[in-house]
Amino acid sequence: MHIMEGFLPWQWCLFWYIVALPVVAYGVIQIKKITDEDPESKPLLAVSGAFIFILSSLKLPSVTGSCSHPTGTGLSAVLFGPAVTSVLGAIVLVFQALFIAHGGITTLGANIFSMGIVGPFAAWLVYKGVQRIGWGPSIGIFLAAVAGDWLTYVTTATQLSLAFPVPTFGAAFAKFMVIFAYTQVPLAIAEGLLTVIVFDYIMKLRPDILVKLKVISPKVDGTSKVVV
């Protein structure tokens, strides 16, 4: 759930802009570096952005009366890292705020921080952890997508609790988490499964790009086919 236009006090709007913009600026530098080194990664970058836009636009009613949606950031976070994903997330959030009244301009910094930074960073950390353990990439991308989705909502609950700590921050956080938790857990699992399908298709179609991006490790068998 993006925080809607005008919902946060102006001080918090400014604070989240200040926190989010340096990460987005660094992400722009990373995008230029990646696309300069490997121009073939541009279509995959576009697919990752489209994946975020489509999934995060699917507003679903919540049993609590609120609404919820997948985030789609796990795929990009694993492929390109959290900084690049913050740029894609920012672009998506601007379009959604301007054209489908989803989120807002004053709350853009807060929404970028939750969906474009914290969620992707959690997804990236989880995937790296799974790689270190030695589990397969499909398990890694599933857990990454689930973590990226759910941590986005934990961050949103934290942001709202900081802005409206009534009667206390803890009580407000518990209330906001309850509002989101009922629908977001199954949504996160569904997003994880969908992300695995897309990732597996990319891995079968162009494993060479995933190797260049250091998403999977190359192991060349006797037929010179890249496997993982």
Side-chain angles (χ1 to χ4, degrees):
M1 185 194 77
H2 305 335
I3 301 176
M4 66 181 182
E5 178 68 27
F7 195 74
L8 291 179
W10 70 267
Q11 298 93 331
W12 283 109
C13 293
L14 180 62
F15 174 79
W16 293 118
Y17 261 106
I18 292 173
V19 173
L21 286 181
V23 181
V24 175
Y26 178 68
V28 172
I29 297 172
Q30 288 295 103
I31 288 177
K32 185 176 186 313
K33 179 182 177 183
I34 291 172
T35 53
D36 285 347
E37 292 176 354
D38 184 12
E40 286 187 309
S41 64
K42 290 180 180 178
L44 195 54
L45 194 63
V47 168
S48 299
F51 191 68
I52 295 173
F53 182 82
I54 293 171
L55 289 197
S56 62
S57 298
L58 300 174
K59 294 175 68 174
L60 303 172
S62 163
V63 294
T64 60
S66 179
C67 66
S68 190
H69 62 77
T71 64
T73 56
L75 179 66
S76 172
V78 169
L79 296 178
F80 298 104
V84 169
T85 306
S86 74
V87 180
L88 300 179
I91 294 171
V92 166
L93 288 165
V94 167
F95 272 89
Q96 290 177 338
L98 293 177
F99 298 113
I100 60 175
H102 195 176
I105 295 301
T106 62
T107 55
L108 183 62
N111 290 326
I112 290 174
F113 184 78
S114 60
M115 197 184 87
I117 296 176
V118 176
F121 189 69
W124 179 78
L125 279 180
V126 167
Y127 187 79
K128 293 298 180 185
V130 170
Q131 273 189 318
R132 188 175 292 273
I133 295 172
W135 293 352
S138 294
I139 296 175
I141 192 71
F142 171 77
L143 295 177
V146 171
D149 180 301
W150 207 70
L151 263 294
T152 294
Y153 280 78
V154 172
T155 305
T156 301
T158 303
Q159 291 171 316
L160 293 172
S161 304
L162 287 170
F164 306 103
V166 181
T168 64
F169 171 81
F173 181 75
K175 182 176 69 176
F176 284 120
M177 283 299 294
V178 168
I179 291 173
F180 298 147
Y182 285 114
T183 51
Q184 202 56 33
V185 171
L187 267 182
I189 294 172
E191 179 177 342
L193 294 173
L194 178 62
T195 308
V196 169
I197 294 172
V198 174
F199 182 81
D200 284 349
Y201 181 74
I202 295 171
M203 196 159 59
K204 291 175 182 175
L205 193 67
R206 293 298 304 271
D208 55 316
I209 293 181
L210 298 184
V211 171
K212 288 180 181 177
L213 293 172
K214 300 179 181 177
V215 177
I216 58 176
S217 300
K219 293 179 180 178
V220 182
D221 63 14
T223 61
S224 298
K225 179 182 178 182
V226 178
V227 297
V228 296

